[in-house]
Amino acid sequence: MSTIKNALKAAKAALDAHQYDAAIENATKVLTEDPKHYHANVFLGLALEKKGRNEESEKAYRGAASTKPKDSLAWQGLISLYEQQGGHRLEDYQDAVSHLASIFEEADDKTRCQTVVDKYTDFARKCGSRLQYRHSLEFVLPGSDLYEYLEGRLPHPSHTYTRISEIVEQDEKENINFEIGQRRTRLGAKIDQVTAEVKKEVLQSSILESLYQHVIDWTDDDDTRRLYEEKLLQHGYDTLLVLPQAQKNSKREEVVRLAQGMVILKHPFALAWKINLEWKDIERLGELDVGVLREYIELFPEEGLGQVLRGYLESEISVFPAPAVDQDRSEDDEQSVPIMTVEDRLVLMTDGLEDSPKSVLAHRIMSEYYLYLDEHESAAETARKAHRYIETDSQTSGLPLANNSDAINILLGTALVQYQAPRHHPEARSLFEGILARKPSNGSVLLGIGLILEEQEELHQAVDFFERAMKQAPSTKIQAEAAWCRALGGDYSRGLEELEDCLPSVEAPDLRTKALKAQILYRIGMCLWDMDHSKASRRDRNKSYARFISALQTDANFAPPYTMLGIYYADYAKDRARARKCFQKAFELSSSEVVAAERLARSFAKTSEWELVEVVAQRVVESGRLRPAPGSKKKGISWPFAALGVVQLNKLEHAKSIVSFQSALRISPKDYCSWVGLGECYHNSGRYIAATKAFEQAQKLEREFGPEVLGDTWFSKYMLANVQRELGEYDAATGKYKEILNVRAKEYGVSISYLQTSIESAWRNMDLGFFGRAIDNIQQALSIAKDVVTWSTNAFNLWKCISDLYSVCTYIQSRPADISVQDMKWLLEYGSDPETYSQLADIDRITWSTFESVIESKDTDMVLQSCLYAAVLAQKRALGCCAHDAYARATAWYNLGWTEYRAHVCQRNGDISSEEGSMQYLRAAVQCFKRAIELESRNAEFWNSLGIVTSQLNRRVAQHAFVRSLYINEKNARVWTNLGIFYLIEGDIQLANDSFARAQSVDPDHAQAWLGQGLLAAQLGESNESRTLFTHAFTISNASAIQIQQSYASSTLDHLLSSPALSNEAVTLLQPLLALRRLSKQTRTNIAFEHIYALFQERIGSYAHASTTLLSICSTLEADYERSESAETLERFAQSKADLSRSQLAEQDFESAADNAETALALTEDTPTSPIRVRTRLSAHLSAGMACYYQGSTDRSIDMFKNALEETQGEPDIVCLLSQVLWAKGGSQARSIAREQLFDCVEKHPGHVGTILLLAVIAVLDDDRDAVEAVSDDLHSLRTRYDLNSQQHKQLAQLLHAISVLYLANEDKALTQMSEARTVVMLEPSKPYGWSQLADLSAEAQPAEMAVLGAVSKAPPRGESSAEDISKVYAGTKRVEDIQKSIMLAPWSPWGWQILSQL
């Protein structure tokens, strides 16, 4: 015991001396003896605390506290320990404070108890989180034992609750923001949905409302109480917003209770008043408490709803009585109250509505007030907004608000009945019927449906609804509407009587009553007007006229009487001035006066005042009275849309006019004029298919109604012809023009269109290569022009067409005899002034006298020049016809410039002659284009043309013109192409390539751009690329593109010469042959391409045509040589003679062939050596040799082949020909020479196929088995050669087959022949001869069928299979139907007949 005391004293002394280790040691000794020693644990806890060993210290303190829980020393030690650790142990700190405060409470030591609590609260505020601080405040709230003990010493509960609520408010706000920020980043999250979900989660679990209620309950400050009542209501309202519908009821009751309490206390919190006023489900505004309304106005004078309520309570539509006047108010006070005018009231209420954009009550009041003012559009718009907001309020509060919704729908329906009637009648009726199903006795609904039925001309039903409405709410207006419906239904007497009965009840002086009286008087006048249709009755001023005047005297702003007075003055009084004034007044007052509007529009249209027509029609369209409601018997009104379409058509607004005419036709599908107008709009906007359908529909109406109803209908046929002309259906168009001209012979527009269509058809046929049809079109156009010129001489379009007519003739030079120069002279001479043709005569030298000198020549070669002169003179005459129109004059100069340039091109090509040379026309063209540009400098085509004609005269000007044209319109592919050609001529390859590429990107179908690219590739030596580009250009071009056809044909010929395997393929030859044939029709003087044409004719086997063409070429070259004696011409003449000899040889005209070949040889005997000379002499030698052979002159033939062989230095093909001729001559010496020649050739050219084949044939003929065996190996090796053509393959197969037949034993013959046939099939499976051999050797049907497929697939133009070849393979199948085909294909062939005879 003494040891424990000594150790305890030592521990105490060590603590006092701050020797904490010694204190720990001594306290531990005590605890070793007595583990539950209180002071030892306390000393140990304190020493460990000082040493920073907090966990051990807490354990020691806890041990001491468990030993003596009512002793404060251990708990104080724990509090000290927790304070040193900051806010980490605040929960344990609170527990220790609770125990220590209980000890002090038992000791009745309030001071120390309060000190401990205050210290803990202050420590939690400084060091803890907001939640920990909130818990520390909740520690001293009412309801705890500690609060009851320290009441009066602790802060007032209201302050504590206030602080706690502030903490919770901040926590909830941060929590909401944090959750929204986290969830909004999720996939598919929507911010509104996320916000609602987060608020719902937070607000449902919130304790703020209970805290607010505690503050309200405990506080003594009225301001604080009011503030927290507002917070409580706002929080409850916010919670109500996010609650699901099933949970809203209880919360809504709580919110409404709070709001009503504030309203009762007149607390100026806007939300409470809003809930109290907006959430009342009332059928009529009179159900509201007027006292509450006035209090709201006093409390919130600047609020939007307050302003609306103030204006409403002081307006004429207010259902509440005016406030009682205070008797004690002085006269000065009464004078100080301002009296609000109607205008001021409307401004006040409108501003209030803008300031309260979501108030249902404000919108409901304003909609009702707008109806009172007859502002139906504003009323409808306001009611629609109110309907949207009431749905929001219903979702918010959970209340159905059915009465409010019905009241607003009634306002909306009533407004829609009048606004743009009858456009919105279906919607209004739907609203009314929905309400009527719930409230069948609602007078406003019955009246609204009755008015709708009246507009729809359902008059009996309308009367029924009006009578039902009268039973619910009798009124003069309903009675008058019922009477008017009876009158409209034809019961004029009863209607008139009932209308007159209404007059005594409408004598009040207010404006609405006067308006009703004016309407009744007007309707009485209409009854009198319709009861008697005689002119005398309607002229009587004591009847209808008097009632209309009385109506206007009652209400001068009532529009219908003005319309009827206008009709009276126009149709009966014959006073147009007064009638127009009346119509204008009626239409000014109301856009619904459609009759007045139509009369005005027609009068404006007669005077071409199209702007006024548009104004009138547009206003009628906007009135909404044109289209009847669905199901209505009333007919629609289409004329305003048609009038708008005509105005827009005149203004070239085609898209708008199409919409207008379509709208008119939707209302009146059988409106003939609208169909014609729609078709014209489609035509002008380039929609030709749609235009065709529109005009066809118009023609259906013509057939249905006839001219008696529609009047003159030729215009639709004329427009349909124009559409067909645009679509390229020229025959159909000209047919319709003829039909019109049969009725209207001198209709200028139709005649010119007919003429233009014929010329366009000529151009089209020329582009397609139908030159004969083009000439026929020209002759047709000429007959039209001869007719038109007799009665319309000075027409620009006429002379422009005549010029185009003769310009087309210059492109077709193959039929000059079809052009009458006398008609040409008569046309230009008719009604002409010689001075007209003197324009630019000093430059181009084309005058009437020069034209006469040309046409007087009988030479057919001068016809082309006559056409050119006629075209130029016609353009000059067209220029004289537009002297007063600057833009037409610019176009005339432009047209003349191109005609002059055409003359220049023809002169350059040698088609015409001129003393001054070809530059005179070019200079004239330059002057024309310059003058055109002076008149219209922003025209890109004019600059492009100037660039073309100046390219040969001034390169800088040309480049500037092209660039200027592109500056005006950079998307013109033709200008880019022209610029590329210009750069190509100048040698700038890069710029040329860029220009062509730009042209192709702008218009990929512009053939000249591809031609330019091909010329560029040819200049760079890329022959394959250039040929591909020329081919593409030819494919997408038309038949009049001469340069493209020339380039394509020449490049194809070069390719064929470089690829002998393609020389005889029909597919390769057809397209260039077509191009050359077109060229031959268009030009007569291009000898080079005529020669190429002859070569292609020869290659396809058209030897007669080739000979004819070459004879013509030889005649032309001979005449040219006699004139010029040019060596080049002589060389070309010799070449043509050699080619002619070859064609005549193919025709078997051997004598002519030999003569022409010898002529070619003689002409080239002494000429310098050149590649052309070598080829010419070789061709001539071979042709002469073959001709002599077939003539029987074998020796002369051999001489020719020997000469050819000498000149070609042993050409193997010539050796083969010579050997065949020697063998054919006969005799051992000749045949021995043939063998020697062939053996020598094989040594020099070991792979030559023809030599090897001839040696094999000679070996077979000689029956030399050794030679046959030797040559057979060479023949087998030839099979795998890739350079063999189909003919060589066929000869090789036939030769091997013959060898196998002649030299093999019978037992091996069949197998070998079968093997040979299979080998042929394997090597060339697409060729028919291998399959034919296999079919002959086998009994199967498939090889014969494959032979048929192969032969048919190689039929021209895809191959070289002849009719005999195909006939043979068909016969090989031995089927009856194939034998019939064989005989039909080649009746002269024996194969089909032989097989048929065997069956």
Side-chain angles (χ1 to χ4, degrees):
M1 190 67 176
S2 59
T3 304
I4 293 175
K5 289 183 178 180
N6 292 331
L8 192 60
K9 289 180 181 181
K12 179 66 172 63
L15 286 172
D16 293 338
H18 303 292
Q19 296 177 358
Y20 303 117
D21 292 332
I24 292 171
E25 182 180 356
N26 291 310
T28 302
K29 290 180 181 179
V30 175
L31 291 174
T32 301
E33 298 293 333
D34 186 3
K36 294 184 178 181
H37 196 284
Y38 178 77
H39 290 288
N41 277 314
V42 171
F43 291 157
L44 178 61
L46 180 58
L48 291 171
E49 177 187 348
K50 298 299 183 181
K51 293 294 288 183
R53 296 159 66 180
N54 297 331
E55 293 182 1
E56 297 177 18
S57 174
E58 182 181 6
K59 184 178 179 180
Y61 283 137
R62 290 290 179 183
S66 63
T67 303
K68 293 182 179 182
K70 298 299 183 180
D71 194 283
S72 62
L73 187 61
W75 295 108
Q76 288 175 341
L78 280 171
I79 289 173
S80 175
L81 176 65
Y82 292 147
E83 285 179 350
Q84 291 181 11
Q85 297 182 40
H88 300 293
R89 304 297 297 275
L90 267 174
E91 290 78 6
D92 297 325
Y93 191 173
Q94 181 180 354
D95 180 68
V97 169
S98 177
H99 284 86
L100 184 59
S102 299
I103 294 172
F104 291 146
E105 182 180 356
E106 290 180 2
D108 197 20
D109 191 346
K110 292 185 178 181
T111 302
R112 295 181 67 187
C113 181
Q114 179 184 355
T115 302
V116 170
V117 172
D118 291 345
K119 183 178 180 183
Y120 163 64
T121 304
D122 187 59
F123 182 77
R125 179 179 60 80
K126 292 180 179 178
C127 300
S129 63
R130 282 200 300 268
L131 180 62
Q132 292 171 332
Y133 180 46
R134 193 186 92 188
H135 289 164
S136 70
L137 294 175
E138 292 172 349
F139 187 63
V140 294
L141 286 175
S144 65
D145 296 336
L146 191 61
Y147 175 79
E148 295 177 0
Y149 177 67
L150 295 177
E151 187 176 5
R153 291 176 173 268
L154 295 175
H156 194 274
S158 62
H159 298 294
T160 307
Y161 280 119
T162 299
R163 185 64 186 129
I164 293 174
S165 66
E166 292 172 353
I167 294 172
V168 174
E169 285 176 359
Q170 191 171 1
D171 286 344
E172 286 187 0
K173 183 178 180 181
E174 291 181 358
N175 188 19
I176 289 173
N177 293 335
F178 175 77
E179 289 296 329
I180 291 175
Q182 289 290 319
R183 299 185 189 184
R184 68 182 299 180
T185 59
R186 296 175 182 173
L187 187 64
K190 298 180 180 179
I191 184 62
D192 296 337
Q193 183 179 358
V194 168
T195 302
E197 290 176 355
V198 172
K199 285 187 175 181
K200 175 184 174 183
E201 294 174 4
V202 174
L203 295 179
Q204 275 188 310
S205 60
S206 175
I207 62 172
L208 272 178
E209 292 186 24
S210 62
L211 293 174
Y212 292 154
Q213 190 61 53
H214 285 306
V215 175
I216 294 169
D217 294 340
W218 281 98
T219 185
D220 296 329
D221 186 7
D222 290 340
D223 293 337
T224 304
R225 183 179 296 107
R226 296 291 177 264
L227 174 62
Y228 278 87
E229 285 176 350
E230 293 175 3
K231 288 188 175 185
L232 178 60
L233 177 60
Q234 186 67 55
H235 193 277
Y237 180 78
D238 293 340
T239 305
L240 181 64
L241 291 179
V242 298
L243 285 176
Q245 293 293 329
Q247 302 176 14
K248 283 183 180 289
N249 291 336
S250 59
K251 194 66 180 178
R252 182 184 63 250
E253 293 174 358
E254 179 184 346
V255 170
V256 170
R257 178 180 56 78
L258 292 172
Q260 288 177 345
M262 290 186 177
V263 171
I264 292 171
L265 296 175
K266 299 182 182 180
H267 179 57
F269 184 49
L271 177 61
W273 291 84
K274 172 184 175 298
I275 292 172
N276 186 263
L277 293 175
E278 302 283 357
W279 289 7
K280 285 186 180 296
D281 191 18
I282 55 174
E283 190 171 352
R284 295 180 300 276
L285 291 176
E287 298 177 19
L288 292 172
D289 187 346
V290 67
V292 174
L293 298 181
R294 299 190 190 283
E295 289 171 359
Y296 183 86
I297 295 171
E298 292 178 4
L299 292 173
F300 306 100
E302 301 300 326
E303 288 285 335
L305 179 58
Q307 295 175 350
V308 173
L309 288 172
R310 180 188 171 194
Y312 169 72
L313 292 177
E314 297 182 14
S315 68
E316 303 87 342
I317 65 171
S318 175
V319 297
F320 301 108
V325 179
D326 190 356
Q327 300 294 333
D328 298 333
R329 267 169 50 179
S330 64
E331 186 176 346
D332 294 337
D333 292 339
E334 291 180 2
Q335 293 178 355
S336 64
V337 178
I339 299 176
M340 190 178 301
T341 63
V342 176
E343 293 78 9
D344 294 339
R345 184 183 304 116
L346 183 59
V347 171
L348 176 68
M349 296 176 74
T350 305
D351 293 342
L353 186 65
E354 293 178 357
D355 293 339
S356 55
K358 294 186 179 181
S359 171
V360 176
L361 180 59
H363 282 80
R364 179 175 175 179
I365 291 172
M366 282 304 301
S367 179
E368 190 170 335
Y369 193 60
Y370 282 136
L371 277 179
Y372 171 76
L373 298 176
D374 290 333
E375 295 289 338
H376 302 108
E377 181 180 3
S378 300
E381 182 181 354
T382 307
R384 290 188 193 278
K385 291 181 180 179
H387 196 273
R388 291 197 298 269
Y389 300 147
I390 202 171
E391 289 180 354
T392 304
D393 284 352
S394 179
Q395 292 178 356
T396 299
S397 63
L399 292 169
L401 301 176
N403 291 329
N404 282 350
S405 180
D406 288 345
I408 290 170
N409 283 334
I410 290 173
L411 292 173
L412 176 59
T414 304
L416 293 177
V417 168
Q418 302 297 331
Y419 173 54
Q420 292 186 343
R423 175 184 294 180
H424 304 289
H425 281 186
E427 182 183 359
R429 186 167 184 175
S430 175
L431 293 173
F432 286 144
E433 289 176 348
I435 299 170
L436 197 63
R438 298 187 297 273
K439 300 175 181 179
S441 60
N442 191 294
S444 300
V445 174
L446 293 171
L447 175 61
I449 296 178
L451 292 173
I452 293 172
L453 292 171
E454 177 186 335
E455 179 66 29
Q456 295 179 357
E457 298 184 358
E458 300 285 348
L459 301 175
H460 295 293
Q461 297 183 36
V463 170
D464 179 61
F465 273 93
F466 288 139
E467 289 177 349
R468 290 170 59 185
M470 281 288 291
K471 294 177 181 179
Q472 301 299 325
S475 70
T476 305
K477 177 176 176 57
I478 300 176
Q479 182 182 355
E481 292 293 343
W484 180 238
C485 285
R486 290 189 177 93
L488 292 176
D491 192 353
Y492 296 111
S493 300
R494 184 178 177 184
L496 177 62
E497 181 182 352
E498 292 180 358
L499 286 170
E500 289 178 343
D501 292 341
C502 295
L503 284 177
S505 60
V506 287
E507 297 297 335
D510 61 284
L511 295 177
R512 297 184 69 83
T513 305
K514 286 185 176 181
L516 180 58
K517 181 179 180 180
Q519 185 184 59
I520 294 172
L521 288 170
Y522 161 73
R523 290 177 174 179
I524 292 172
M526 288 301 301
C527 289
L528 296 172
W529 183 274
D530 292 331
M531 285 174 68
D532 190 352
H533 294 82
S534 64
K535 290 186 177 181
S537 175
R538 291 188 172 182
R539 284 178 181 174
D540 190 351
R541 295 200 172 206
N542 295 321
K543 292 186 176 181
S544 298
Y545 178 83
R547 301 305 189 279
F548 296 146
I549 294 296
S550 299
L552 292 179
Q553 290 173 348
T554 303
D555 185 1
N557 293 324
F558 188 48
Y562 286 108
T563 301
M564 294 308 300
L565 286 174
I567 296 174
Y568 171 83
Y569 286 124
D571 298 345
Y572 299 99
K574 304 302 180 182
D575 190 343
R576 293 186 179 180
R578 283 190 177 183
R580 187 165 184 172
K581 289 180 180 179
C582 289
F583 290 139
Q584 287 179 340
K585 184 65 175 179
F587 191 62
E588 287 174 5
L589 291 173
S590 174
S591 60
S592 299
E593 291 302 307
V594 180
V595 175
E598 184 177 5
R599 296 272 187 142
L600 279 177
R602 291 185 183 277
S603 65
F604 291 143
K606 289 179 181 178
T607 57
S608 299
E609 299 177 79
W610 297 110
E611 294 81 3
L612 296 177
V613 173
E614 182 179 17
V615 170
V616 172
Q618 186 63 43
R619 191 176 176 207
V620 176
V621 169
E622 292 172 354
S623 70
R625 298 191 66 87
L626 304 184
R627 293 186 176 91
S632 174
K633 295 181 180 179
K634 193 172 183 179
K635 294 183 179 180
I637 302 170
S638 62
W639 71 260
F641 287 109
L644 278 177
V646 172
V647 173
Q648 291 158 350
L649 184 60
N650 289 333
K651 295 167 65 176
L652 303 181
E653 297 175 350
H654 302 304
K656 293 181 179 179
S657 63
I658 288 172
V659 174
S660 298
F661 283 123
Q662 286 176 339
S663 300
L665 290 170
R666 290 190 188 101
I667 298 173
S668 300
K670 293 189 176 182
D671 186 352
Y672 172 78
C673 295
S674 294
W675 280 113
V676 175
L678 179 62
E680 186 174 358
C681 294
Y682 280 137
H683 169 267
N684 294 343
S685 58
R687 298 167 63 178
Y688 301 119
I689 301 301
T692 302
K693 293 180 180 179
F695 287 125
E696 289 175 350
Q697 187 66 32
Q699 292 187 339
K700 287 182 182 179
L701 295 176
E702 291 175 12
R703 293 189 292 270
E704 180 178 350
F705 296 109
E708 297 81 7
V709 177
L710 301 178
D712 202 353
T713 58
W714 66 271
F715 184 74
S716 64
K717 187 177 294 183
Y718 167 69
M719 289 303 302
L720 180 58
N722 289 342
V723 172
Q724 291 171 334
R725 168 186 166 189
E726 296 292 346
L727 291 173
E729 300 172 3
Y730 298 113
D731 294 338
T734 53
K736 287 184 172 56
Y737 289 137
K738 285 181 182 179
E739 293 177 10
I740 299 171
L741 290 174
N742 290 335
V743 180
R744 304 175 68 90
K746 293 186 178 181
E747 188 67 43
Y748 173 75
V750 179
S751 299
I752 290 298
S753 297
Y754 188 14
L755 178 58
Q756 291 172 339
T757 304
S758 299
I759 295 173
E760 289 175 7
S761 179
W763 282 111
R764 176 67 176 276
N765 285 321
M766 188 181 67
D767 289 342
L768 295 175
F770 302 137
F771 302 109
R773 295 181 186 178
I775 291 295
D776 295 340
N777 294 136
I778 291 302
Q779 292 175 345
Q780 182 184 36
L782 182 60
S783 64
I784 302 168
K786 289 169 63 178
D787 175 64
V788 176
V789 78
T790 58
W791 49 269
S792 180
T793 306
N794 297 321
F796 168 78
N797 287 335
L798 171 63
W799 294 106
K800 198 266 185 190
C801 289
I802 293 174
S803 176
D804 291 342
L805 185 153
Y806 288 113
S807 294
V808 175
C809 296
T810 66
Y811 289 90
I812 308 173
Q813 302 177 14
S814 59
R815 294 173 60 177
D818 294 328
I819 302 171
S820 173
V821 294
Q822 297 303 322
D823 289 340
M824 192 184 303
K825 179 180 179 181
W826 183 87
L827 272 175
L828 295 173
E829 193 176 19
Y830 191 90
S832 65
D833 182 3
E835 293 297 325
T836 305
Y837 301 127
S838 62
Q839 293 276 3
L840 299 179
D842 57 332
I843 301 177
D844 62 7
R845 307 295 183 187
I846 299 177
T847 61
W848 181 253
S849 60
T850 57
F851 173 68
E852 284 186 319
S853 64
V854 170
I855 63 175
E856 287 174 359
S857 174
K858 302 301 182 179
D859 189 358
T860 56
D861 292 337
M862 299 302 290
V863 174
L864 175 61
Q865 191 160 357
S866 301
C867 291
L868 284 170
Y869 281 12
V872 171
L873 293 177
Q875 291 290 3
K876 291 182 178 181
R877 190 158 180 181
L879 184 62
C881 294
C882 55
H884 303 292
D885 188 341
Y887 288 103
R889 195 169 180 81
T891 303
W893 280 113
Y894 172 75
N895 294 335
L896 178 58
W898 274 118
T899 310
E900 297 277 6
Y901 185 71
R902 175 59 185 166
H904 163 72
V905 172
C906 291
Q907 174 64 30
R908 183 186 60 192
N909 294 338
D911 298 332
I912 62 174
S913 60
S914 175
E915 296 179 0
E916 299 293 331
S918 63
M919 300 303 289
Q920 61 185 20
Y921 306 120
L922 188 62
R923 292 192 181 95
V926 171
Q927 291 301 317
C928 292
F929 292 132
K930 284 183 177 180
R931 293 186 184 182
I933 291 171
E934 289 174 0
L935 294 170
E936 191 177 346
S937 60
R938 294 291 299 173
N939 193 310
E941 293 297 331
F942 294 178
W943 286 103
N944 175 50
S945 305
L946 181 63
I948 293 173
V949 298
T950 56
S951 297
Q952 302 176 36
L953 301 175
N954 192 322
R955 296 173 181 175
R956 291 185 177 181
V957 173
Q959 184 179 15
H960 170 75
F962 288 136
V963 173
R964 182 67 178 174
S965 178
L966 291 173
Y967 174 77
I968 298 172
N969 180 16
E970 66 175 356
K971 293 184 178 181
N972 192 324
R974 289 185 291 108
V975 182
W976 282 109
T977 302
N978 294 335
L979 184 61
I981 294 294
F982 174 80
Y983 286 136
L984 183 61
I985 295 172
E986 295 298 315
D988 196 328
I989 303 300
Q990 184 61 44
L991 286 178
N993 184 64
D994 294 343
S995 299
F996 291 136
R998 185 66 180 271
Q1000 293 162 8
S1001 65
V1002 171
D1003 184 5
D1005 293 330
H1006 186 57
Q1008 279 70 20
W1010 298 98
L1011 171 65
Q1013 197 86 30
L1015 294 174
L1016 179 61
Q1019 184 170 335
L1020 296 175
E1022 300 175 359
S1023 57
N1024 290 333
E1025 179 70 16
S1026 66
R1027 188 186 70 260
T1028 302
L1029 292 168
F1030 290 146
T1031 303
H1032 181 67
F1034 176 75
T1035 303
I1036 63 177
S1037 67
N1038 51 49
S1040 60
I1042 295 176
Q1043 182 63 46
I1044 294 176
Q1045 295 177 86
Q1046 291 175 343
S1047 301
Y1048 171 64
S1050 60
S1051 64
T1052 305
L1053 180 63
D1054 293 340
H1055 178 58
L1056 293 176
L1057 294 176
S1058 64
S1059 303
L1062 301 174
S1063 298
N1064 296 319
E1065 292 187 7
V1067 176
T1068 309
L1069 301 175
L1070 280 180
Q1071 292 289 350
L1073 187 66
L1074 175 62
L1076 291 165
R1077 183 178 180 277
R1078 291 173 178 173
L1079 282 174
S1080 68
K1081 297 291 185 181
Q1082 293 175 271
T1083 60
R1084 297 182 294 111
T1085 57
N1086 199 324
I1087 301 300
F1089 287 98
E1090 287 291 320
H1091 200 159
I1092 295 175
Y1093 183 35
L1095 293 178
F1096 274 98
Q1097 288 174 326
E1098 180 187 3
R1099 284 177 180 270
I1100 66 169
S1102 182
Y1103 304 114
H1105 290 91
S1107 298
T1108 302
T1109 304
L1110 288 168
L1111 281 170
S1112 174
I1113 293 173
C1114 290
S1115 300
T1116 304
L1117 290 173
E1118 186 175 5
D1120 189 18
Y1121 179 74
E1122 290 176 356
R1123 183 173 57 254
S1124 63
E1125 295 186 358
S1126 168
E1128 181 182 357
T1129 304
L1130 180 62
E1131 185 177 49
R1132 293 172 64 185
F1133 177 70
Q1135 184 182 15
S1136 300
K1137 281 290 185 179
D1139 293 339
L1140 176 60
S1141 172
R1142 190 172 61 250
S1143 296
Q1144 290 171 336
L1145 176 65
E1147 285 187 280
Q1148 299 182 1
D1149 186 0
F1150 305 123
E1151 184 178 355
S1152 299
D1155 291 341
N1156 286 313
E1158 290 175 355
T1159 301
L1161 291 171
L1163 291 173
T1164 57
E1165 185 70 33
D1166 299 325
T1167 57
T1169 302
S1170 66
I1172 295 178
R1173 177 183 181 276
V1174 172
R1175 288 196 295 270
T1176 300
R1177 290 185 64 80
L1178 175 60
S1179 176
H1181 276 120
L1182 295 177
S1183 298
M1186 295 298 296
C1188 292
Y1189 171 76
Y1190 286 114
Q1191 283 181 309
S1193 301
T1194 308
D1195 295 334
R1196 188 180 175 193
S1197 174
I1198 293 172
D1199 293 338
M1200 286 294 179
F1201 286 129
K1202 287 182 178 179
N1203 292 334
L1205 196 62
E1206 291 175 1
E1207 291 191 9
T1208 58
Q1209 298 178 355
E1211 176 67 30
D1213 290 331
I1214 299 175
V1215 171
C1216 292
L1217 287 173
L1218 178 59
S1219 300
Q1220 292 178 61
V1221 173
L1222 289 171
W1223 190 272
K1225 181 181 179 181
S1228 58
Q1229 183 180 0
R1231 293 183 176 183
S1232 177
I1233 295 173
R1235 290 190 191 92
E1236 292 175 1
Q1237 290 287 340
L1238 289 173
F1239 282 123
D1240 291 340
C1241 184
V1242 165
E1243 291 179 2
K1244 296 178 181 178
H1245 306 281
H1248 190 258
V1249 178
T1251 306
I1252 297 174
L1253 290 175
L1254 283 177
L1255 285 174
V1257 171
I1258 291 173
V1260 172
L1261 295 175
D1262 289 342
D1263 196 16
D1264 188 349
R1265 290 180 175 273
D1266 295 334
V1268 168
E1269 291 177 2
V1271 79
S1272 293
D1273 296 335
D1274 294 333
L1275 293 176
H1276 284 288
S1277 64
L1278 285 177
R1279 285 182 163 187
T1280 57
R1281 289 268 296 273
Y1282 67 89
D1283 56 343
L1284 267 65
N1285 57 37
S1286 59
Q1287 185 67 23
Q1288 290 171 336
H1289 273 292
K1290 185 176 181 179
Q1291 293 172 354
L1292 183 60
Q1294 292 173 345
L1295 184 57
L1296 288 171
H1297 179 71
I1299 291 173
S1300 65
V1301 172
L1302 295 173
Y1303 295 101
L1304 293 176
N1306 290 331
E1307 61 272 10
D1308 298 330
K1309 188 180 296 184
L1311 293 176
T1312 304
Q1313 290 178 355
M1314 183 70 72
S1315 176
E1316 291 293 338
R1318 288 173 178 171
T1319 303
V1320 173
V1321 169
M1322 182 190 69
L1323 291 173
E1324 288 192 299
S1326 63
K1327 299 297 171 41
Y1329 51 80
W1331 292 105
S1332 296
Q1333 290 180 6
L1334 191 60
D1336 294 338
L1337 297 172
S1338 67
E1340 297 179 357
Q1342 288 80 5
E1345 293 176 356
M1346 291 301 299
V1348 170
L1349 292 176
V1352 172
S1353 66
K1354 295 299 180 181
R1358 295 183 297 272
E1360 301 175 358
S1361 295
S1362 64
E1364 292 87 346
D1365 295 335
I1366 301 176
S1367 175
K1368 182 179 179 181
V1369 296
Y1370 267 122
T1373 63
K1374 299 181 181 179
R1375 292 197 296 249
V1376 175
E1377 60 270 20
D1378 289 339
I1379 295 171
Q1380 291 174 342
K1381 292 178 183 178
S1382 173
I1383 295 173
M1384 183 192 69
L1385 286 170
W1388 62 88
S1389 176
W1391 303 103
W1393 297 107
Q1394 291 176 359
I1395 301 298
L1396 184 62
S1397 65
Q1398 297 173 6
L1399 295 178

